Amino acid sequence: MRNYTLLAFFLFSISNFAQIKGTVTDEKGNPLPFVSIFQEGTYHGTTSNEQGKYQLNVKEIAGSTIIFQYLGYKTQKKIVLAATTTVILDVQLQEESFALNEVVIDPKNNPANAIIKSAIANKKENSDKTGRYTADFYSKGMLKVKDLPKKILGKKVELGSDMGANLDSTGTGILYLSETISKVSLEKPNKFKENIIASKISGNNRGYSYNTAALSNYDFYDNALDFDVKLISPIADNAFNYYKYKLESTFYDDNNQQINKIKVIPKRDKEPVFEGYIYIVDDSFAIYAIDLEIKGYRMKNEFTEIMNLKQSFSYNSKNKIWFEKRADTFF
């Protein structure tokens, strides 16, 4: 039996005056889910769904610049000239071109270490820039099963009426589905309010639930993140006690800012740590993106093998800050 859980969290702003919609695909025509799509110079945004489709509400369509951002792909800007109330805008994203760095032999001169040290030194300033905000929040959680056997070790598998309604004859289907819309406000360090507007839940989540913004508010500028166990951030004050780093590549975003892709490597396996990649903006040393894994035994969760956590940040040139647009969690 294989279980798949997909949880997606978005921060976006809603306006009701006009709408831009379409489909986002890669160069082969495959739909791209969870692409960040927003109006330049504003916090009005949305994301594409699992079929690559999106709907973006804006105050004014004519003259708007719409940005499409997805980790691993080149950011695209599209200027909308039409003055109608609805515009169809389909976009094809190209994979990002990375400049590969040479292998670092001398750890004393490891360029990744210098970047991480600067990120740690500047994290309070970068964190304070987004220390207060209000936003609309949407979450979707899904638990799927594929090829569920009728018997395990000779015993019949019983899911119960709340679990098996959506399974087909092959034992494949959705066990759990939840959606939540809410309005949130945050003032760091710990003033967080959430007003749930609508929530729909079907099935049984088997103990996994991310139906509120409070449960998905992971801030890597903090020294530790709470997953029942406190996991050490790759840019925590004491991060070098837990991690090694390698600068794997660099690239330039659409604002011509250099982004450093840094591999995060745990020093010891059984400690509460992440592994994967953190993307750091040169000069400001703000977080550009997060693509990290957590092994279940590291967060003392025997039912989870691996959790993958992704975050994408966008640059607001007017306010000169990087703000989180999307966070996805995969089990």
Side-chain angles (χ1 to χ4, degrees):
M1 180 177 67
R2 300 177 64 189
N3 288 333
Y4 301 87
T5 303
L6 170 62
L7 302 167
F9 312 108
F10 327 122
L11 292 179
F12 59 95
S13 298
I14 297 178
S15 174
N16 295 317
F17 296 102
Q19 188 177 83
I20 301 171
K21 59 183 179 180
T23 304
V24 187
T25 60
D26 62 15
E27 295 174 280
K28 297 180 180 179
N30 300 313
L32 290 177
F34 312 123
V35 176
S36 292
I37 305 155
F38 58 98
Q39 185 179 22
E40 187 177 47
T42 74
Y43 299 102
H44 300 300
T46 186
T47 65
S48 58
N49 64 16
E50 293 179 350
Q51 289 76 45
K53 298 184 181 300
Y54 72 93
Q55 292 183 354
L56 174 63
N57 298 303
V58 297
K59 291 182 178 180
E60 295 181 3
I61 286 186
S64 296
T65 298
I66 309 303
I67 298 176
F68 297 81
Q69 183 180 1
Y70 191 59
L71 191 60
Y73 289 78
K74 293 181 180 179
T75 298
Q76 280 202 32
K77 291 184 178 182
K78 296 289 186 179
I79 299 176
V80 181
L81 300 177
T84 59
T85 56
T86 302
V87 169
I88 305 298
L89 183 60
D90 296 329
V91 172
Q92 188 177 81
L93 298 185
Q94 298 178 338
E95 289 191 30
E96 185 65 73
S97 298
F98 294 96
L100 300 179
N101 294 279
E102 296 181 357
V103 176
V104 178
I105 299 176
D106 184 0
K108 293 182 180 179
N109 296 319
N110 183 351
N113 289 349
I115 296 170
I116 293 297
K117 287 179 180 178
S118 294
I120 294 172
N122 288 274
K123 69 176 183 175
K124 185 180 186 304
E125 178 182 351
N126 287 319
S127 177
D128 287 346
K129 289 178 180 179
T130 55
R132 298 179 63 183
Y133 67 78
T134 59
D136 294 327
F137 173 86
Y138 170 74
S139 73
K140 181 178 181 179
M142 186 183 300
L143 177 62
K144 296 180 179 179
V145 64
K146 183 179 181 181
D147 301 328
L148 179 69
K150 294 182 179 180
K151 292 184 179 182
I152 297 178
L153 298 178
K155 293 186 177 181
K156 186 178 180 181
V157 177
E158 297 286 354
L159 291 177
S161 59
D162 63 332
M163 295 292 290
N166 295 316
L167 299 186
D168 60 23
S169 59
T170 66
T172 300
I174 298 174
L175 299 181
Y176 170 74
L177 178 65
S178 71
E179 290 185 278
T180 299
I181 298 175
S182 61
K183 289 185 177 293
V184 299
S185 63
L186 171 71
E187 183 175 349
K188 292 182 179 180
N190 52 19
K191 292 184 179 180
F192 184 87
K193 293 182 180 179
E194 179 174 15
N195 179 26
I196 296 178
I197 299 172
S199 182
K200 180 181 179 181
I201 299 175
S202 61
N204 190 318
N205 64 8
R206 311 303 284 178
Y208 294 108
S209 179
Y210 287 80
N211 292 324
T212 67
L215 294 173
S216 59
N217 187 32
Y218 301 132
D219 189 347
F220 282 86
Y221 287 118
D222 292 339
N223 285 325
L225 292 86
D226 192 359
F227 290 84
D228 292 332
V229 173
K230 296 287 187 180
L231 272 67
I232 307 301
S233 168
I235 57 171
D237 293 339
N238 60 344
F240 282 94
N241 294 334
Y242 295 89
Y243 299 105
K244 297 183 291 184
Y245 304 93
K246 179 183 177 183
L247 178 60
E248 290 215 337
S249 60
T250 61
F251 63 95
Y252 288 86
D253 72 343
D254 61 301
N255 294 294
N256 203 34
Q257 299 188 76
Q258 180 175 313
I259 311 299
N260 302 291
K261 180 182 179 182
I262 297 175
K263 188 172 185 179
V264 178
I265 308 165
K267 284 188 173 181
R268 293 167 292 274
D269 183 54
K270 296 298 178 67
E271 293 185 328
V273 290
F274 300 89
E275 63 179 292
Y277 296 93
I278 185 170
Y279 296 73
I280 301 295
V281 182
D282 222 34
D283 294 335
S284 70
F285 299 101
I287 297 174
Y288 173 83
I290 292 289
D291 187 2
L292 295 170
E293 289 184 350
I294 316 168
K295 293 183 177 178
Y297 59 82
R298 288 177 179 161
M299 58 179 177
K300 310 300 182 184
N301 190 322
E302 60 183 306
F303 299 105
T304 300
E305 183 178 358
I306 294 177
M307 176 190 289
N308 183 254
L309 181 62
K310 294 185 178 183
Q311 293 180 348
S312 293
F313 291 74
S314 300
Y315 185 69
N316 185 289
S317 56
K318 181 179 179 180
N319 297 325
K320 297 183 178 180
I321 63 172
W322 289 89
F323 62 99
E324 185 182 342
K325 290 295 294 184
R326 192 192 83 241
D328 307 325
T329 307
F330 302 88
F331 289 94

